[in-house]
Amino acid sequence: MTFEVLSAEAARRAAAPYAEPAEDLPPALAALDYDGYRAITFRPDEGIRLGETFSAQLFHRGFLQRKRVALYLQPRSGAARPIPYASRLFDLGAGLAGQSFAPDLGFAGFRLHYASPETPSWRPKGFQEEFLVFLGASYFRLRAANQEYGLSARGLAIGTGAPEGEEFPDFVAHWICEPEPEARSLTVLSLLDSPSVAGAYRFAITPGDPARIAVTAELHPRQTVAKLGLAPLTSMFLYGENGPGARDAKPVDDFRPQVHDSDGLCVASGAGAGVDPARIDRIWRPLVNGRAQPQISAFAAAPLAGFGLLQRQRNFAAYLDVEARQEARPGLWVSPEAGGSAFAAGAVQLYEIPSVEEYMDNIVAAFVPAAAAQPGAPLRLAYGLTTVGAEPVAAIPEAALARVTSTRFGSAERLRPTKPPSPQRRLCVIDFEGPSLPHGPDDAISVDVSASAGTMHEPVANFVPQTGGWRIYVEWRPPEPLPAGDVVLRARLIRGTMPLSETWDAVV
């Protein structure tokens, strides 16, 4: 199998009526609950060796993983061969002990393992660490060495946030390409299908720290798609350092100070050779929860330099969760690359869905092209996915811009009482760190602020010797009456007209 052959197959499928994948599970597998499915484990000694440094393990069907995904091994030469199912590959757990299933049952997905040259000496010889999972619809999860799984990427998002509901495309087949014996990267080819779109994907995967995937795709719409989400990322945000964040949101009764896999969306635009530095912008939108209804926000980027859902809070004390280790969850950065034109015009859209459950992914970010996708007009994508840990990192452009490291809101009335009292006044406190900032007081540093409604008062920028960073204090006074929707507040550090920091773009 080659990417070109797979693209032709996607085009052929798109020209034909959509066929819904079968969900014909044996009753014993269909009846599994969460714990019963989790009890099914792949036997490690049955793993598929891929060169000297990689191996693959497989996921059983059952519970929510009902659809059959065709898996193939593509040798370095010769034809691809199917990976056959056999019950002996798995420990089926106590609930299914003694049972076996037909060879045509197939698999739900797979995961990849890698033996890093940097593996600690206390690991067993030849130890391979799991770093990538393809499981469910078009979802896949990537992590760098020593990170914990957190947010997911997807092949495609269709109609996220639309009144008629979202469509979830499926990866219906994967070809795992056998690498050279001592290769440090490998390739997976994947076929995507849905009622609206068929597509071919090539994932060139390089584990490590950071881990990276170079994605090439060709999408063939079956029908007009008004909202096609490219390079979508999905994560969880329950509450953070400023509470759930949304206006009138109820506090969460939990011993942990924060619970989230990502704490903000970062969007970079205007970067590149020959670009006026004053026109370069990177936006940081702290995530919120607790609204009465889902919210969609759009961030125009011309040109788009990249976007990502990131976990900037890296301190264990901010979470106090020994098992979840949310301080070790990766961010993912999407960077358009040469060879794909679909990122030329459009906006990064953020979908925030109210949630009270930390096991629910309630955050989606994706690039949505300005023009609708049309049948007979293939879309070609080329982008990189890079894991992000502690910043700054090379993957995120314009590293000279200082980044937002914390967002906090509090009562301005408590600090500066008024008569009569004005309890709606809010004090915004934003911390920044980065190499562009002076390492001491500097009267030349000022603050650029704005509000979509209401007014911003007495912005102040201070050097913070305890952190070596800078802090903005600014008071927001809401209008009367208060608007029904979000009010967007913006702030950044500047010297003259030159931005020194990314733009804090928060909602109240």
Side-chain angles (χ1 to χ4, degrees):
M1 176 60 68
T2 65
F3 178 72
E4 292 70 25
V5 171
L6 193 60
S7 298
E9 170 61 16
R12 185 196 66 77
R13 286 197 174 216
Y18 174 67
E20 183 75 31
E23 299 185 9
D24 51 339
L25 278 178
L29 295 175
L32 287 174
D33 59 12
Y34 174 81
D35 291 330
Y37 182 71
R38 292 267 297 176
I40 302 176
T41 57
F42 189 83
R43 299 185 189 277
D45 56 353
E46 298 286 354
I48 301 169
R49 300 294 300 185
L50 301 165
E52 298 296 328
T53 56
F54 291 94
S55 65
Q57 297 187 10
L58 313 173
F59 286 103
H60 208 280
R61 294 173 65 200
F63 184 46
L64 300 178
Q65 307 301 334
R66 306 179 67 88
K67 295 178 180 178
R68 181 186 293 104
V69 178
L71 298 181
Y72 300 88
L73 180 63
Q74 175 62 61
R76 293 193 299 276
S77 61
R81 57 179 185 268
I83 299 174
Y85 169 84
S87 298
R88 63 171 176 77
L89 300 175
F90 298 88
D91 180 342
L92 297 175
L96 298 173
Q99 297 197 43
S100 62
F101 300 98
D104 63 354
L105 179 67
F107 302 100
F110 68 98
R111 58 191 177 198
L112 292 176
H113 297 241
Y114 174 66
S116 170
E118 291 77 34
T119 299
S121 59
W122 54 267
R123 293 285 195 186
K125 184 178 180 180
F127 173 80
Q128 294 188 343
E129 182 179 15
E130 179 186 331
F131 72 97
L132 178 61
V133 169
F134 281 86
L135 181 66
S138 68
Y139 285 83
F140 56 101
R141 302 172 85 187
L142 177 70
R143 67 181 181 184
N146 302 314
Q147 287 182 334
E148 296 290 328
Y149 282 128
L151 80 169
S152 299
R154 285 198 264 172
L156 199 62
I158 299 177
T160 306
E164 61 271 21
E166 183 170 358
E167 178 180 313
F168 290 88
D170 294 302
F171 282 133
V172 296
H174 298 283
W175 288 260
I176 305 172
C177 300
E178 184 180 16
E180 295 293 331
E182 297 184 358
R184 298 302 178 189
S185 62
L186 60 71
T187 297
V188 172
L189 301 175
S190 302
L191 178 64
L192 178 140
D193 206 3
S194 81
S196 298
V197 178
Y201 284 74
R202 177 172 58 214
F203 299 98
I205 303 159
T206 305
D209 188 8
R212 189 176 187 277
I213 302 178
V215 183
T216 306
E218 186 170 285
L219 305 178
H220 296 269
R222 277 193 174 87
Q223 58 193 33
T224 300
V225 182
K227 293 185 67 174
L228 195 64
L230 307 181
L233 308 175
T234 299
S235 192
M236 178 275 292
F237 179 87
L238 195 60
Y239 61 97
E241 61 199 5
N242 62 315
R247 187 189 309 164
D248 300 324
K250 295 180 180 179
V252 179
D253 188 11
D254 197 302
F255 80 93
R256 297 166 295 179
Q258 303 184 46
V259 176
H260 49 74
D261 288 341
S262 305
D263 53 13
L265 169 70
C266 189
V267 180
S269 62
V275 177
D276 180 356
R279 296 178 61 84
I280 294 170
D281 198 9
R282 204 173 66 219
I283 290 174
W284 175 255
R285 166 59 69 86
L287 300 177
V288 303
N289 188 18
R291 296 184 181 91
Q293 299 294 330
Q295 176 73 15
I296 301 176
S297 304
F299 303 86
L304 176 69
F307 72 93
L309 289 173
L310 306 179
Q311 184 80 312
R312 282 192 168 164
Q313 178 52 263
R314 292 283 161 188
N315 188 347
F316 167 75
Y319 304 98
L320 300 179
D321 195 325
V322 175
E323 295 183 355
R325 293 191 63 215
Q326 286 168 339
E327 73 280 1
R329 303 292 173 100
L332 275 179
W333 185 257
V334 176
S335 52
E337 296 182 352
S341 59
F343 295 98
V348 176
Q349 294 195 3
L350 172 68
Y351 309 87
E352 295 171 299
I353 303 166
S355 175
V356 296
E357 177 57 72
E358 67 185 275
Y359 302 107
M360 171 186 170
D361 283 344
N362 62 325
I363 304 295
V364 180
F367 182 84
V368 179
Q374 301 290 348
L379 282 79
R380 292 173 177 84
L381 311 182
Y383 61 93
L385 276 173
T386 305
T387 59
V388 178
E391 299 175 67
V393 295
I396 300 178
E398 305 311 323
L401 290 175
R403 63 195 180 280
V404 177
T405 56
S406 73
T407 297
R408 291 180 173 84
F409 293 101
S411 169
E413 184 69 21
R414 287 177 57 85
L415 296 176
R416 295 183 178 181
T418 57
K419 293 183 180 180
S422 304
Q424 295 297 324
R425 296 162 53 221
R426 305 297 290 165
L427 182 67
C428 314
V429 181
I430 313 114
D431 285 320
F432 296 83
E433 294 180 10
S436 65
L437 301 179
H439 298 289
D442 188 334
D443 292 339
I445 305 299
S446 59
V447 182
D448 179 24
V449 297
S450 64
S452 64
T455 54
M456 304 287 267
H457 288 262
E458 300 182 349
V460 175
N462 286 342
F463 173 69
V464 183
Q466 292 87 343
T467 65
W470 280 69
R471 173 174 288 184
I472 290 177
Y473 298 93
V474 61
E475 178 187 327
W476 174 67
R477 295 180 184 176
E480 292 290 345
L482 193 65
D486 288 341
V487 174
V488 178
L489 310 181
R490 296 188 123 199
R492 64 178 179 175
L493 296 167
I494 58 174
R495 178 184 281 116
T497 60
M498 185 67 65
L500 298 180
S501 73
E502 63 190 8
T503 300
W504 175 79
D505 181 290
V507 295
V508 290

